[in-house]
């Protein structure tokens, strides 16, 4: 597919999303405090990746916030609430799942696309107990962000082009993919049991134990703990923060421990924001990340957001290697249609002690429509 055709197809997908009627999934309620709500989103994107020698244009699903559908059931029992959540990705071709040699299947669903099959019991006095496929306690702790551009730019810098291989300076494709060199050590989702405390003046403490129930012949076990903080009323400022640690054991691989934290602060009168994150794996590398954002209300459509960010990592693939990435992004909300249209550019720079690699870059243009 040439770039003009790919761009036109992406524009058509964006126009379709914007032209679609705005609605949220309906909520059905019973007479005993119960409800059913369904929801979802579509996030098509045009991806153009330049590996320093060739450019590859793809129509993809944005892996940073993939297309999905789900429903929630809620039933009150006095002061307590029982909740059930089912959510699955739709199985469209992901932006981090294509590479120089393959575009993969346009649509391919299997059980690993299931995101949540989650039962929760939310008590009035003792916190929340969860069981099933869902977020570990450390899921999302690297992603504190108040910039408004998180749909296409964030600490998970490999989401835009993680499957592509770096080229060596001699022009050959290497065995190092973007996702190998750029990672955030975030917790993710597993089949798990989890406990979250009540909110104590903005603080919530969490712990979980999980295993990968969606993959066959897998004995991975992960234990983690986390603490998060949110305060929207700090005078002219709002603050989000999170810190967590995870321990993972799996036959055939070395045990590992990840420590990750992030903080985001916004000056609400001006719309300026700053986010920072850092993470370390005891048997591998570490990284630091910073993002500056700005949000304004320039049009009646909705808020307009911009950001610039920088990622610096080391020892991710091999001892002594280095990985840097910077990116810029713009997101325009269209409130009446629950749409966020975006355009982003990112560069990747990776080197190790024995090889020099060409810099690469990616453009992402698309829209997320929530329903």
């Amino acid at each position: 597919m040439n770039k003009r055709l790919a761009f036109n197809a992406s524009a058509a997908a964006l126009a379709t999303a914007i032209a679609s009627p705005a609605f949220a999934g309906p909520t059905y309620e019973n007479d005993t405090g119960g409800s059913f709500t369904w929801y979802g989103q579509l996030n098509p994107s045009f991806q153009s990746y330049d590996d320093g020698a060739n450019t590859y244009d793809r129509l993809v699903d944005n892996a940073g916030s993939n297309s999905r559908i789900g429903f929630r059931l809620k039933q009150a029992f006095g002061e307590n609430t029982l909740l059930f959540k089912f959510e699955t990705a739709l199985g469209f071709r992901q932006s981090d799942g294509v590479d120089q040699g393959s575009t993969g299947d346009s649509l391919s669903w299997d059980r690993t696309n299931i995101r949540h099959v989650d039962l929760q019991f939310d008590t009035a006095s003792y916190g929340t107990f969860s069981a099933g496929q869902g977020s570990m306690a450390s899921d999302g702790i690297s992603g504190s962000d108040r910039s408004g551009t998180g749909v296409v730019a964030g600490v998970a810098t490999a989401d835009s082009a993680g499957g592509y291989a770096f080229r060596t300076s001699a022009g050959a494709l290497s065995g190092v993919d973007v996702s190998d060199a750029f990672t955030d050590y975030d917790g993710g989702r597993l089949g798990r049991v989890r406990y979250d405390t009540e909110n104590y003046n903005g603080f919530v403490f969490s712990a979980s134990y999980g295993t990968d129930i969606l993959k066959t012949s897998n004995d991975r076990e992960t234990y983690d703990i986390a603490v998060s903080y949110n305060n929207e009323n700090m005078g002219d400022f709002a603050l989000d923060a999170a810190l967590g640690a995870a321990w993972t054991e799996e036959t055939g691989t070395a045990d590992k421990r990840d420590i990750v934290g992030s903080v985001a602060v916004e000056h609400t009168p001006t719309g300026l924001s700053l986010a920072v994150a850092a993470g370390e794996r005891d048997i591998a590398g570490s990284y630091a990340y910073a993002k500056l954002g700005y949000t304004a209300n320039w049009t009646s459509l909705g808020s307009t957001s911009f950001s610039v960010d920088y990622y610096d990592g080391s020892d991710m693939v091999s001892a002594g290697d280095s990985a840097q990435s910077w990116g810029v992004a713009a997101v325009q909300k269209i409130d009446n249609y629950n749409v966020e249209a975006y355009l982003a550019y990112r560069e990747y720079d990776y080197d190790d002690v024995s090889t020099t690699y060409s810099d690469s870059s990616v453009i992402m243009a698309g829209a997320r429509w929530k329903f």
Side-chain angles (χ1 to χ4, degrees), residues 43-45 60-67 94-95 151-152 159 342 364:
N43 196 356
S45 186
V60 295
D61 196 47
N62 184 344
S65 180
N66 60 17
S67 297
Q94 296 296 290
S95 55
V151 64
V152 71
D159 283 346
Y342 55 81
M364 293 283 286

Side-chain angles (χ1 to χ4, degrees), residues 172-296:
L173 289 177
S174 72
V176 181
D177 295 342
V178 171
S179 61
D180 297 329
F182 295 87
T183 185
D184 59 357
Y185 300 142
D186 206 68
R189 294 175 300 276
L190 293 172
R192 88 290 187 241
V193 290
R194 171 173 169 168
Y195 172 69
D196 298 87
T197 68
E198 291 290 289
N199 188 312
Y200 298 109
N201 297 317
F203 288 95
V204 174
F205 300 86
S206 307
S208 63
Y209 161 77
T211 185
D212 199 336
I213 61 175
L214 298 181
K215 294 181 180 179
T216 59
S217 302
N218 186 286
D219 64 353
R220 171 185 173 185
E221 295 182 329
T222 297
Y223 315 77
D224 64 356
I225 55 175
V227 57
S228 61
Y229 178 75
N230 172 261
N231 192 335
E232 303 281 340
N233 300 298
M234 300 176 62
D236 287 340
F237 294 89
L239 178 70
D240 295 329
L243 177 66
W247 295 263
T248 299
E249 302 172 359
E250 185 175 354
T251 301
T253 63
D255 296 349
K256 59 189 177 185
R257 183 221 62 213
D258 299 331
I259 297 177
V260 181
S262 62
V263 178
V265 62
E266 178 185 7
H267 185 242
T268 52
T270 62
L272 288 170
S273 66
L274 174 67
V276 294
E280 178 187 58
R281 175 166 291 174
D282 61 343
I283 62 171
S286 60
Y287 74 89
Y289 172 84
K291 182 180 188 181
L292 181 65
Y294 173 66
T295 298

Side-chain angles (χ1 to χ4, degrees), residues 1-14 43-49 55-62 95 152 160 164 342-344 362-367:
M1 180 182 292
N2 63 47
K3 184 175 294 188
R4 178 182 295 276
L5 178 58
F7 182 80
N8 288 343
S10 179
L14 174 59
N43 196 356
S45 186
F46 165 70
Q47 174 201 69
S48 182
Y49 181 80
T55 300
Y56 303 86
D57 299 328
R58 317 286 198 216
L59 290 177
V60 295
D61 196 47
N62 184 344
S95 55
V152 71
S160 299
Y164 289 95
Y342 55 81
L343 176 65
V362 63
I363 296 171
M364 293 283 286

Side-chain angles (χ1 to χ4, degrees), residues 287-331:
Y287 74 89
Y289 172 84
K291 182 180 188 181
L292 181 65
Y294 173 66
T295 298
N297 292 295
W298 290 337
T299 76
S300 59
L301 291 174
S303 62
T304 306
S305 300
F306 302 94
S307 68
V308 56
D309 64 7
Y310 181 76
Y311 174 106
D312 184 89
S314 60
D315 305 320
M316 292 292 187
V317 182
S318 60
D321 70 8
S322 63
Q324 290 86 35
S325 176
W326 66 270
V328 293
V331 175

